[in-house]
């Protein structure tokens, strides 16, 4: 097992990464100072529940904890008002109090939803992340929790740091291929924003990583978590540098919102977004030629889309980008690459140029 730390003063917490950690959750709870007098509440989804919920509940009960649980639908649709209201009702009915602890067992959707339940119930109770997707190496760290609105992604949320992240890498063995690919989108993003040598390593080891070779995948997760943890420690509430983590996300969130959070998953949407961001940066002369090609080639090696998806109109995407919270006061502030391994916040990007890049991508698709 490897343990990293997110350094945030009194809100600092560990990220444990390793095999067979779900069976050791009671020990990690003790380490985090959670006593058996505190009621626990596990939130998970319908795909994860049949695989990992019962053994977890059993080990918690055997250790003396009182624990209840809710199971939500699988996929992005669960980050909705409707599901939030239902789960909140179940949590209240179970009799949780201010000392109770929520455990988020699942991918980024369960993590974001459960974290928002924890942030809102009685104005905030503690929660613990038990990530089960590759993508969740990103979403489980950093305390951004949210649900979606039909007008835009993650528009209703909070900053609420977990007490701990306990990442059992054995859970990845049951992850569908498409979700493995989606997870690599955020792994690649962590390389593109901060570490050329990590990008080169991802290029070199793509085949084995796609096969989830245990040692390599653990290294990829540790590196991704470390990059995220470092940035979050520097700028918890996104006053400046944390925004760099949004590479590809203004585009990506727009695709997700337009498709009503179906069709493309988050990883696919931001993969297309990172491709578009790199093209835009080349066109603006922010980075050398070839950055875009290398970015897209790497994403493609992880079976991710990088070109315009079917059925989207570039103008609609631009409109949805305007609503994304990163577009402050109608202006486009985008995260764009300077080179491989370095990105920058670029303010007031010309709307016409953004539209042109999207139209070119859509044009290539139609050929
Ligand atoms: N809070 C943040 O900082 C942050 C960062 C990145 C992404 N996100 C959010 O994360 C979400 C995407 O997360 P995700 O890609 O993990 O999606 P997800 O939680 O929907 O999981 C993907 C699918 O895999 C299934 N699944 C999960 N674990 C499994 C397992 N071990 N075996 C089999 N099936 C499993 C789920 O039921 C779901 O159908 C998006 O909403 C995105 O906005 C948040
Ligand atoms: Zn993301």
């Amino acid at each position: 097992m490897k343990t990293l730390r997110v350094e945030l003063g009194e809100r600092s917490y560990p990220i444990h990464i390793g095999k067979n950690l779900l069976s050791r959750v009671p020990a990690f709870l003790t380490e985090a100072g959670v006593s058996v007098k505190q009621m626990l509440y596990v939130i998970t989804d319908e795909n994860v529940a049949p695989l990992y919920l019962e053994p977890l509940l059993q080990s918690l009960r055997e250790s003396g904890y009182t624990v209840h649980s809710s199971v939500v639908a699988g996929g992005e649709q669960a980050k909705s008002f409707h599901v939030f209201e239902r789960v909140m009702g179940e949590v209240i009915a179970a009799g949780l109090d201010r000392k109770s602890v929520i455990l988020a067992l699942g991918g980024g959707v369960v993590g974001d939803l459960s974290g928002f339940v924890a942030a809102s119930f009685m104005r905030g109770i503690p929660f613990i992340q038990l990530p089960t997707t590759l993508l969740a190496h990103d979403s489980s760290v950093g305390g951004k929790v949210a649900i979606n609105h039909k007008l835009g992604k993650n528009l209703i949320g909070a900053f609420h740091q977990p007490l701990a992240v306990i990442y059992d890498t054995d859970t990845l063995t049951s992850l569908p291929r498409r979700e493995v690919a989606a997870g690599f989108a955020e792994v690649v993003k962590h390389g593109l924003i901060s570490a050329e040598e990590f990008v080169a390593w991802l290029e070199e080891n793509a085949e084995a990583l796609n096969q989830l070779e245990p040692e390599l995948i653990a290294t990829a997760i540790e590196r991704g978590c470390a990059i995220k943890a470092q940035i979050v420690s520097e700028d918890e509430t996104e006053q400046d540098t944390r925004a760099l983590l949004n590479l590809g996300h203004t585009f990506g969130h727009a695709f997700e919102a337009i498709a009503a959070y179906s069709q493309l998953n988050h990883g696919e949407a931001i993969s297309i977004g990172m491709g578009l961001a790199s093209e835009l940066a080349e066109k603006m002369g922010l980075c050398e030629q070839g950055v875009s090609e290398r970015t897209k080639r790497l994403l493609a090696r992880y079976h991710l889309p990088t070109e315009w998806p079917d059925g989207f109109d570039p103008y609609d995407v631009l409109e949805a980008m305007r609503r994304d919270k990163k577009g402050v006061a109608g202006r486009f502030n985008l995260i764009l690459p300077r080179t491989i391994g370095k990105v920058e916040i670029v303010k007031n990007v010309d709307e016409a140029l953004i539209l042109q890049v999207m139209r070119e991508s859509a044009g290539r698709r139609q050929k």
Side-chain angles (χ1 to χ4, degrees), residues 345-364:
I345 305 170
V346 183
K347 302 216 157 125
N348 299 323
V349 181
D350 181 6
E351 214 176 273
L353 210 53
I354 299 175
L355 198 56
Q356 190 190 339
V357 166
M358 294 200 287
R359 285 196 170 129
E360 283 170 11
S361 179
R364 283 195 295 272

Side-chain angles (χ1 to χ4, degrees), residues 76-77 79-82 146-157 253-254 256-261 323-324:
E76 192 70 31
Q77 307 286 341
K79 276 174 64 173
S80 66
F81 271 120
H82 171 69
I147 56 173
N148 303 323
H149 189 279
K150 65 177 188 302
L151 291 177
K153 180 101 175 150
N154 295 338
L155 289 183
I156 302 113
H253 286 167
E256 288 183 84
I258 290 175
Y261 311 106
R323 286 192 291 267
D324 192 76

